[in-house]
Amino acid sequence: QGQLVESGGGLVQAGGSLRLSCALPRSIFSVFITNIMSWYRQAPGKQRELVASITGGHSTNYTDSVKGRFTISRDNSKKTAYLQMNSLKPDDTAVYYCARVDAEGRIYWGRGTQVTVSS
């Protein structure tokens, strides 16, 4: 924890959009392009689930429930990953966590950002 800085969560109506950002502080030495960046979410009473992931070469993977609505991207020059969320549904309400896996396979988590979608 503490090695990733998330922003962009909030309250939005169903059908709306939000963009989450996840930055690796410059003070943290890591070859960002070798890191796999991911977004997870955890709703109350549910297990944390993988939402989307992206490699340094921009290969992406999504969980079925968000395909066609969410887009994960990254800017390696800014050491930042993004999650663009469109057509949000109340079921998307959760705490969203950014995670990175470095070249040695170690995983680091952000503190999480709340996303609330009202109906």
Side-chain angles (χ1 to χ4, degrees), residues 47-68:
Q47 289 188 331
R48 190 173 297 189
E49 65 168 346
L50 176 63
V51 176
S53 61
I54 185 168
T55 67
H58 300 273
S59 295
T60 59
N61 183 57
Y62 298 91
T63 191
D64 287 345
S65 62
V66 307
K67 286 181 180 177

Side-chain angles (χ1 to χ4, degrees), residues 99-114:
R100 71 178 182 95
V101 178
D102 67 14
E104 288 73 39
R106 293 171 296 203
I107 188 167
Y108 301 90
W109 294 93
R111 295 181 180 274
T113 184
Q114 177 70 47

Side-chain angles (χ1 to χ4, degrees), residues 7-8 13 15 23 25 32 40 45 61 63 66 82-83 89-91 103 116-117:
S7 61
Q13 288 188 331
F32 185 73
Y40 289 75
N61 183 57
T63 191
V66 307
Y82 306 94
L83 185 67
K89 305 174 181 179
D91 284 349
T116 303
V117 184

Side-chain angles (χ1 to χ4, degrees), residues 14-29:
S17 298
L18 284 173
R19 188 192 195 205
L20 306 183
S21 297
C22 173
L24 181 66
R26 292 184 177 182
S27 60
I28 303 297
F29 178 77

Side-chain angles (χ1 to χ4, degrees), residues 7-21 39 69-72 82-89 92-94 96 113-118:
S7 61
L11 172 65
V12 65
Q13 288 188 331
S17 298
L18 284 173
R19 188 192 195 205
L20 306 183
S21 297
W39 288 96
R69 300 188 298 123
F70 291 10
T71 302
I72 190 171
Y82 306 94
L83 185 67
Q84 178 66 44
M85 305 185 293
N86 298 328
S87 302
L88 282 161
K89 305 174 181 179
D92 295 318
T93 295
Y96 284 69
T113 184
Q114 177 70 47
V115 171
T116 303
V117 184
S118 63

